[in-house]
Amino acid sequence: MLNDPRSHGLWEKTAPQPPVTAPLQGAVEADVVIVGGGYTGISSGLHLAEAGTKVVLLEAKEIGFGGAGRNVGLINAGMWVMPDDLPGVLGEVYGERLLDMLGNAPRLVMELIDKHRIACELEKNGTLHCAVGAEGLKEIEDRAEQWGRRGAPVTLLDAAETARRIGSDAYAGALLDMRAGTLQPLAYARGLAHAAVKAGVSMHTASPVTATERKGAKWVVKTEKGSVTADWIIVATDAYSTGPWEAVRNEQVHLPYFNLATTPLSDNLRKSILPGREGVWDTKEILSSFRMDQAGRLVFGSVGALRNTGISVHKNWAKRSLRKLFPQIGEVEFECEWYGKIGMTDNALPRFHKFAENVVGFSGYNGRGIAPGTVFGRTLAQHILGQISEAELPLPLTDPREPGFRAIKEMWYEAGAQVAHFADARF
């Protein structure tokens, strides 16, 4: 996108085309104006339009431009925070409510894909959270026990079964989560957008919001060449926020994350490496992730930005690591490379904000955008439709707040990932 092959890489190369859109021109009216064309914005627009609501969606760049078009493509359940810890952070009511909603969120993603026949390489074979050493094994054992008490279909795998499923003996075990899966993330965003347009959403790209104004009981949302007057505003800009809601970006620390896609592997290699096509990530602090796409490309990623010296450092690290993980793979050639920004909140949990009367949004997905973004989009639609009150939402109302030393932390994450990858090819 925007003539940058490192912005969306393989996903832009293999995704179907988005719906035809154009910048907003002139003054229009709607019931709801949505700002942001990622999973949250498109999902909320789709669910509102299906209920008969008149919706205008404004996207500053292109559909899926932010995290929705750059991520690994893991449809995960829950968040990074341990299940038992959520009630302690959010309180018993919100903690269990959020666990229930996000634990079931992958199901909504898969139902929407089936309902709207979205071509996005959906795989429903689960994900594997792989343990690195004894400490990592203890972590996934705790996760398995805590999710198991809540009835989740998770299974703790020993080292031998993990090796059989992955094709490598690098891990001490794995947590198999059958709620989860993988997909082509940009294809999913574009397919969801097609469904939203078909349902009646007016969608405008290249339309960054420049200002908002309250006029009586209505909101006027302005772009360079137009405006939308509406009863409600949904803010769905998240980690890439600029303009009137830049506070949403500023309350998150950007963690850079890159992905590299190999050329398609041979049939023999595909029989031994991820034969079940599960998505994988590990328990290291500077984690790695990998999965297979439909054409047999191995998509391998980790923390870091593919710019300046990071390009050679991270690519060389990835080649060494893949050879060590999968000795059978031989020399590795990368067909595509790209990176983006994960928005991390200070408690690793998402936020619900009410910026003003009838101006609401969820944000802060901490690297778990696909399922939470989709289900939170539906939740915002239900709230506006009067089906869910503010008190019944899965998160308490909070004000945006900038974490201390945000800029320094962001520089450290990028530089620290380079240092770690320059020195280390272990798992």
Side-chain angles (χ1 to χ4, degrees), residues 1 4-14 65-73 183-186 240 256-262 291 293 297-302 304-307 311 314-315 334-341:
M1 293 186 189
D4 182 0
R6 290 198 179 101
S7 66
H8 297 78
L10 177 65
W11 304 144
E12 185 170 25
K13 181 177 179 178
T14 61
F65 177 80
R70 305 170 193 244
N71 66 81
V72 182
L183 49 66
Q184 210 276 32
L186 182 58
Y240 286 76
Y257 202 92
F258 69 87
N259 283 292
L260 304 162
T262 68
R291 45 77 58 98
D293 85 335
R297 301 177 185 91
L298 188 60
V299 179
F300 187 70
S302 186
L306 296 180
R307 59 183 176 188
I311 297 172
H314 298 312
K315 289 177 70 175
F334 295 124
E335 181 177 322
C336 297
E337 56 191 58
W338 68 102
Y339 76 102
K341 305 165 187 174

Side-chain angles (χ1 to χ4, degrees), residues 254-370:
H254 276 176
L255 179 74
Y257 202 92
F258 69 87
N259 283 292
L260 304 162
T262 68
T263 54
L265 304 183
S266 68
D267 289 343
N268 282 338
L269 285 174
R270 288 158 69 177
K271 290 176 183 176
S272 66
I273 299 175
L274 291 179
R277 292 182 175 271
E278 300 94 341
V280 178
W281 77 103
D282 63 32
T283 59
K284 287 193 68 175
E285 184 174 0
I286 301 178
L287 64 87
S288 301
S289 60
F290 51 95
R291 45 77 58 98
M292 199 80 73
D293 85 335
Q294 201 167 63
R297 301 177 185 91
L298 188 60
V299 179
F300 187 70
S302 186
V303 178
L306 296 180
R307 59 183 176 188
N308 305 321
T309 55
I311 297 172
S312 60
V313 168
H314 298 312
K315 289 177 70 175
N316 288 334
W317 167 83
K319 287 183 177 183
R320 296 194 309 268
S321 295
L322 281 175
R323 285 197 299 269
K324 195 167 183 179
L325 257 178
F326 305 110
Q328 69 270 40
I329 206 170
E331 280 300 314
V332 175
E333 294 297 330
F334 295 124
E335 181 177 322
C336 297
E337 56 191 58
W338 68 102
Y339 76 102
K341 305 165 187 174
I342 298 173
M344 306 293 292
T345 59
D346 54 12
N347 64 357
L349 291 174
R351 305 279 167 80
F352 169 68
H353 295 313
K354 184 176 180 180
F355 301 92
E357 187 67 24
N358 286 9
V359 184
V360 293
F362 286 104
S363 58
Y365 297 149
N366 295 273
R368 294 288 180 97
I370 297 174

